[in-house]
Amino acid sequence: MNFSYRLIYTIGAKTEQEISYVNKCFHLWSTEFGADLASRGAKLNHDEFQRARVIAVVLKDDEVAGFHLYSPFDLRESSSLEHSYVRAMSEEAKVKLQEKNINSFLAMEYLTVAPGFRTKEAGGPKVAELIVRLGLKVMAELGLEGALGIARMDRKVNFLGDLIGFTEIAQISKYNNLCSVMVMSKHETPREADEFTKKTVDALWGGKPQSSKIAA
């Protein structure tokens, strides 16, 4: 299999290769989301890429097939409550998180699949599903109580969340797009993937390089 998976911890020292991957992800993100939001009368805030503590990347050889941006939040911390990401969520959503015993969670943002890997004709694995399922493993590895995504409904990202087993706890508007706030607790079991996807997730997770989470 020519596909591989990398977790790049942005607060740690990075290799030249990792910096190259970060730049590739940023340019893909800026191009794809920048053009899409401009067509809707909104402007992409580039600070939102920089705040990610982890960039999860699926590669085919040296080409970025897709990625996800991850940031941890904790509702017991005043700084998290005052962050724009959390403030954009409704009070109802925060209550529902706490009802699920989720205070600390991994924010999964900007699920991005490169154009050449989006269609069935491209062949290979379902990159978007792989990234989200792998993200649940990142959540568990970091010891967080849940994973949360703000899934665009016009692009049917919420359908992917449903497929994997996330629960919608609210709907909000972000960048003039209606989005579903979807969550999964660490105690919940994701819905079973097809055999090929399951084997691919296991292979990618087991084969990922070990990265330092903190700088020396």
Side-chain angles (χ1 to χ4, degrees):
M1 183 176 66
N2 294 327
F3 285 86
S4 61
Y5 183 63
R6 280 182 174 267
L7 295 176
I8 302 173
Y9 292 87
T10 62
I11 62 171
K14 294 184 282 294
T15 65
E16 290 298 320
Q17 186 181 53
E18 287 175 326
I19 290 170
S20 173
Y21 292 147
V22 171
N23 285 334
K24 287 179 180 180
C25 290
F26 176 77
H27 291 306
L28 176 60
W29 176 82
S30 184
T31 299
E32 292 293 314
F33 284 95
D36 177 68
L37 295 183
S39 71
R40 297 168 177 274
K43 185 177 180 180
L44 184 63
N45 179 359
H46 288 83
D47 291 355
E48 295 192 352
F49 186 96
Q50 182 65 24
R51 78 160 174 248
R53 294 294 180 264
V54 185
I55 302 176
V57 191
V58 169
L59 300 152
K60 184 177 183 185
D61 298 320
D62 206 40
E63 181 180 1
V64 173
F67 66 91
H68 225 176
L69 304 180
Y70 297 146
S71 299
F73 290 97
D74 195 314
L75 299 178
R76 295 163 297 192
E77 296 175 352
S78 299
S79 56
S80 285
L81 292 173
E82 290 299 321
H83 195 283
S84 59
Y85 183 90
V86 176
R87 283 192 285 108
M89 294 161 49
S90 64
E91 289 303 316
E92 176 191 12
K94 296 170 194 173
V95 168
K96 287 184 177 179
L97 283 172
Q98 292 172 325
E99 287 174 352
K100 285 178 168 286
N101 295 315
I102 297 174
N103 284 299
S104 63
F105 62 87
L106 186 69
M108 297 178 158
E109 298 187 80
Y110 291 109
L111 176 61
T112 305
V113 177
F117 294 90
R118 292 177 190 165
T119 64
K120 291 181 180 179
E121 289 73 19
K126 304 167 187 175
V127 175
E129 184 177 349
L130 289 179
I131 292 172
V132 178
R133 288 187 181 276
L134 287 162
L136 292 172
K137 293 181 178 294
V138 177
M139 175 263 289
E141 183 175 83
L142 295 178
L144 299 170
E145 296 168 344
L148 185 147
I150 298 178
R152 280 180 55 171
M153 300 174 74
D154 63 316
R155 291 193 168 181
K156 297 182 172 54
V157 182
N158 56 317
F159 288 1
L160 176 60
D162 287 335
L163 173 73
I164 294 172
F166 282 75
T167 301
E168 179 183 289
I169 59 172
Q171 293 183 3
I172 65 171
S173 178
K174 183 173 182 179
Y175 284 130
N176 299 332
N177 295 305
L178 184 61
C179 299
S180 172
V181 181
M182 309 195 79
V183 66
M184 183 179 290
S185 163
K186 69 176 183 179
H187 300 296
E188 295 175 293
T189 302
R191 293 197 175 104
E192 196 74 19
D194 64 73
E195 192 62 24
F196 176 70
T197 299
K198 182 179 183 302
K199 286 183 177 179
T200 305
V201 167
D202 290 343
L204 290 176
W205 184 256
K208 72 183 187 305
Q210 293 300 312
S211 299
S212 175
K213 297 183 179 65
I214 59 173

